[in-house]
Amino acid sequence: PPPHADAGVAGRVDPDRVGVWIDTEDFLHQELTADGRYDETRGGRAHAYQGRYWIDGERIDYLDDLGFWAFGQFDGDTLHHAGYTMRRKDVR
């Protein structure tokens, strides 16, 4: 686990990265919320994974509510996570 991951505290948030991220195949939708939580829809299955996230520079760490850790990497306006390439959905 990341050293900043305290079991009782929400994750570190980057306001510029809050929103819904969608992979290029429209299979994975990942919502990063302003309170340090995430919610994933996979293959149309809502709430497939939920938990907390921490952003440190270009790295994002995830801890789902069942205790599974994962990570991703931001590259400009792209997020790479678990073999998926995602872009943020335009909310305008």
Side-chain angles (χ1 to χ4, degrees):
H4 50 272
D6 181 298
V9 179
R12 185 183 323 179
V13 175
D14 178 344
D16 292 333
R17 292 178 171 149
V18 167
V20 177
W21 294 78
I22 301 174
D23 82 295
T24 56
E25 303 298 319
D26 198 33
F27 176 80
L28 172 63
H29 294 213
Q30 184 181 87
E31 181 179 9
L32 302 179
T33 63
D35 64 353
R37 300 275 305 165
Y38 75 91
D39 189 339
E40 284 188 7
T41 297
R42 287 188 180 225
R45 182 175 153 229
H47 316 300
Y49 295 96
Q50 296 175 304
R52 294 178 288 137
Y53 72 91
W54 293 262
I55 295 177
D56 186 10
E58 301 304 309
R59 181 181 168 109
I60 181 169
D61 290 284
Y62 305 91
L63 173 59
D64 81 12
D65 290 340
L66 299 175
F68 180 78
W69 286 98
F71 70 94
Q73 187 77 28
F74 290 99
D75 182 11
D77 63 354
T78 302
L79 171 56
H80 300 279
H81 166 64
Y84 296 97
T85 300
M86 298 182 281
R87 295 195 184 275
R88 191 164 52 177
K89 178 180 176 182
D90 187 7
V91 293
R92 290 179 227 181

